[in-house]
């Protein structure tokens, strides 16, 4: 039986896409010059790979300007959590589509999904031929050939900020097994197993990654090996939600909106953020033990999903314009992720992101306006890319006789 579209999830997808663009602008283009660093890598080297409380509150709470700046800073810095939302929504969407069409052959089902995904993927790889120039512009001359070649075997990002697509493609490749497991086991067993596998894998990869001998092979420590296993729990959580929703939509919505669930989500959100702090990932005798980094994203995934879900439910009744805007963004969210780097390159070339000596509130205001411009640039590029990939997908479907 088909149900109406889950409007809250559409809004969440649009919000998550905009939020991720925000953290990339704020963290790469705004904060380094604001604090006097020449570029992001210089800033990151001083700040360190793990989060600290001071990173969220860079200015003292001694004026209204500084308070507003710190609040804006918190919002943008937490934008990385939009990726957690996206993985859960991807698991939900793929599993729910399959549950609605249980009799369709797996070959036809996955063919249509890959046709939607792969044209964009190959266009992205084609663009990667000019990545040295793009990375030189965005990453201040930094370019890693290890990263470039790993991107061709779906283990690294082909262009800046596109790493998420590689775990996503890997989930597509193994979705048949995940879906069979979802049907075979209870939801509790399914989620617990995915959590344990994710934590063990992430811990081991990070332990190896901190050893410089393995780092060229494994990739950026923030995304362990670019393998989907590191995001397994979030994707499986979305699948589990789809299973509940397909059998009883009201049951899932009631669970997500229960005060107890919201309180639990806030606790998990706090624990997840703390898991990224340095004290949760101690060092003994020169060896790092990334305990917090092994579980923090799983906790954040559940926590931020429930919190944003309830915010979106309120938003539907509060602002029709915002609801329609985010719903529209959701339709091009995948392409917006992939093309955001264009705006992040263009804006600093034509606008002054930071002006020395001005009030922090004015600086934050300028940053927000520039962020809006980046979103607008991203929308145009995403729409054009989607039109191109949809045209290719239609031709492939017609050639293969798929509906």
């Amino acid at each position: 039986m088909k149900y109406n579209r889950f409007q809250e999830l559409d809004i969440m997808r649009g919000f998550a896409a905009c939020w991720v663009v925000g953290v990339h602008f704020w963290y790469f283009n705004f904060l380094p010059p604001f604090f006097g660093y020449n570029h992001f890598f210089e800033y990151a080297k001083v700040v360190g790979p793990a989060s600290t409380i001071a990173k969220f509150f860079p200015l003292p709470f001694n004026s209204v300007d500084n308070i507003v700046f710190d609040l804006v800073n918190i919002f943008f810095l937490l934008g990385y959590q939009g990726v957690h939302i996206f993985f859960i929504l991807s698991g939900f969407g793929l599993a729910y589509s399959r549950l609605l069409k249980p009799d369709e052959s797996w070959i036809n089902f996955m063919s249509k999904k890959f046709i939607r995904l792969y044209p964009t993927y190959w266009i992205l790889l084609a663009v990667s031929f000019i990545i040295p120039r793009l990375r030189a512009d965005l990453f201040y001359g930094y370019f890693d050939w290890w990263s470039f070649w790993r991107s061709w075997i779906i283990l690294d990002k082909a262009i800046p900020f596109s790493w998420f697509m590689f775990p996503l493609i890997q989930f597509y490749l193994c979705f048949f097994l995940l879906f069979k497991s979802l049907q075979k086991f209870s939801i509790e067993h399914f989620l617990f197993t995915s959590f344990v596998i994710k934590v063990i894998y992430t811990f081991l990869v990070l332990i190896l990654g901190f050893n410089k001998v393995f780092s060229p092979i494994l990739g950026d420590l923030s995304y362990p090996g670019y393998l989907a296993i590191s995001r397994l729990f979030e994707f499986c959580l979305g699948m589990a939600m789809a299973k509940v929703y397909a059998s009883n939509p009201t049951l899932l919505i009631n669970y997500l909106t229960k005060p107890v669930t919201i309180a639990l989500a806030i606790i998990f959100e706090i624990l997840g953020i703390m898991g990224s702090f340095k004290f949760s990932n101690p060092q003994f005798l020169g060896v790092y033990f990334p305990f917090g980094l092994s579980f923090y994203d799983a906790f954040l995934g559940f926590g931020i999903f429930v919190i944003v879900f309830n915010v979106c439910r309120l938003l539907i009744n509060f602002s029709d314009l915002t609801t329609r805007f985010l719903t529209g963004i959701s339709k091009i969210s995948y392409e917006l992720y992939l093309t955001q780097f264009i705006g992040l390159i263009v804006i600093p070339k034509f606008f002054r992101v930071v002006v020395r000596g001005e009030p922090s509130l004015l600086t934050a205001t300028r940053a927000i306006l520039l962020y809006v411009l980046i979103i607008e640039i991203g929308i145009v590029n995403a729409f054009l890319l989607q039109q191109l990939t949809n045209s290719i997908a239609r031709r492939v479907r017609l050639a293969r006789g798929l509906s």
Side-chain angles (χ1 to χ4, degrees):
M1 177 180 178
K2 276 195 174 183
Y3 300 99
N4 293 329
R5 287 192 65 87
F6 204 159
Q7 187 179 16
E8 289 88 346
L9 300 194
D10 286 336
I11 299 173
M12 290 178 69
R13 188 184 300 274
F15 173 77
C18 293
W19 206 13
V20 170
V21 175
V23 68
H24 288 151
F25 164 68
W26 190 264
Y27 201 42
F28 281 82
N29 288 355
F30 177 76
L31 284 184
F34 179 79
F35 289 112
Y37 297 98
N38 293 321
H39 50 71
F40 167 76
F41 291 101
E42 182 179 305
Y43 166 75
K45 185 177 181 179
V46 175
V47 174
S51 298
T52 62
I53 296 178
K55 184 187 293 186
F56 291 96
F57 304 97
L59 301 182
F61 273 36
N62 56 8
S63 68
V64 174
D65 284 15
N66 287 357
I67 292 174
V68 173
F69 182 94
D70 282 348
L71 292 177
V72 173
N73 178 71
I74 292 171
F75 174 78
F76 278 121
L77 283 188
L78 292 179
Y80 69 93
Q81 297 190 25
V83 178
H84 303 299
I85 296 174
F86 187 77
F87 276 117
I88 294 174
L89 292 175
S90 298
F92 182 98
L94 199 58
Y96 188 59
S97 296
R98 182 58 188 174
L99 289 167
L100 292 179
K101 300 178 180 179
D103 299 326
E104 184 178 12
S105 71
W106 274 100
I107 293 178
N108 286 343
F109 177 79
M110 293 310 301
S111 294
K112 287 187 287 187
K113 298 302 179 182
F114 274 105
I115 289 172
R116 169 66 182 90
L117 187 69
Y118 261 101
T120 306
Y121 174 73
W122 290 111
I123 290 172
L124 186 63
L125 284 185
V127 173
S128 71
F129 279 114
I130 56 173
I131 284 305
R133 179 66 261 163
L134 296 178
R135 285 195 174 181
D137 287 343
L138 186 59
F139 286 160
Y140 316 102
Y142 171 81
F143 179 73
D144 181 3
W145 281 106
W146 275 102
S147 176
F148 176 79
W149 293 117
R150 280 194 304 264
S151 69
W152 289 86
I153 54 174
I154 320 177
L155 290 176
D156 208 336
K157 50 185 178 292
I159 63 174
F161 313 129
S162 67
W163 68 268
F164 82 93
M165 71 179 302
F166 301 100
L168 187 61
I169 291 173
Q170 294 161 36
F171 279 129
Y172 273 54
L173 292 173
C174 67
F175 179 70
F176 173 82
L177 296 176
L178 291 175
F179 189 80
K180 291 298 181 182
S181 298
L182 177 67
Q183 291 181 311
K184 181 178 180 180
F185 301 108
S186 67
I187 289 179
E188 292 80 5
H189 187 186
F190 179 71
L191 290 178
F192 178 76
T193 302
S194 67
F195 178 79
V196 171
I197 293 174
K198 174 264 182 297
V199 170
I200 293 175
Y201 164 80
T202 305
F203 182 83
L204 292 177
V205 168
L206 288 175
I207 282 287
L208 294 174
F210 278 117
N211 185 330
K212 294 183 179 180
V213 174
F214 294 95
S215 58
I217 301 173
L218 297 174
D220 192 324
L221 300 182
S222 300
Y223 316 112
Y226 292 88
L227 293 180
I229 303 176
S230 63
R231 304 288 171 168
L232 181 63
F233 175 77
E234 295 154 88
F235 191 83
C236 289
L237 178 60
M239 293 180 62
M241 290 182 183
K243 184 177 181 179
V244 175
Y245 187 75
S247 60
N248 189 342
T250 303
L251 180 63
L252 177 62
I253 295 174
N254 288 343
Y255 174 76
L256 292 175
T257 55
K258 287 171 59 177
V260 174
T261 305
I262 297 173
L264 188 63
I266 294 174
I267 293 173
F268 271 66
E269 174 74 8
I270 295 173
L271 291 175
I273 293 176
M274 292 177 62
S276 67
F277 287 174
K278 292 182 179 179
F279 66 78
S280 298
N281 304 275
Q283 181 178 5
F284 299 106
L285 301 177
V287 178
Y288 287 96
F289 290 89
F291 297 115
L293 291 176
S294 298
F295 70 81
Y296 88 106
D297 47 358
F299 280 24
L300 289 177
F302 169 76
I304 198 62
F305 186 91
V306 174
I307 293 171
V308 173
F309 177 83
N310 283 276
V311 171
C312 288
R313 283 185 65 84
L314 296 174
L315 189 61
I316 291 174
N317 298 322
F318 177 73
S319 175
D320 181 63
L321 180 61
T322 304
T323 298
R324 286 192 291 174
F325 172 76
L326 293 177
T327 301
I329 292 293
S330 72
K331 298 176 182 178
I332 57 170
S333 59
Y334 181 61
E335 290 79 10
L336 182 59
Y337 274 114
L338 298 179
T339 58
Q340 61 179 294
F341 73 94
I342 298 175
L344 294 172
I345 292 174
V346 169
I347 290 299
K349 286 184 175 295
F350 294 96
F351 297 90
R352 292 192 64 181
V353 178
V354 174
V355 177
R356 291 291 165 200
E358 70 179 8
S360 55
L361 178 59
L362 183 58
T363 300
T365 302
R366 176 188 291 103
I368 292 174
L369 291 176
L370 294 179
Y371 162 67
V372 172
L373 283 177
I374 291 175
I375 292 293
E376 292 175 349
I377 294 173
I379 290 174
V380 173
N381 291 321
F383 177 79
L384 294 176
L385 178 60
Q386 187 181 77
Q387 294 301 305
L388 175 60
T389 55
N390 284 348
S391 176
I392 296 174
R394 281 194 298 269
R395 293 174 182 271
V396 173
R397 284 197 299 268
L398 289 174
R400 298 196 58 182
L402 297 173
S403 58

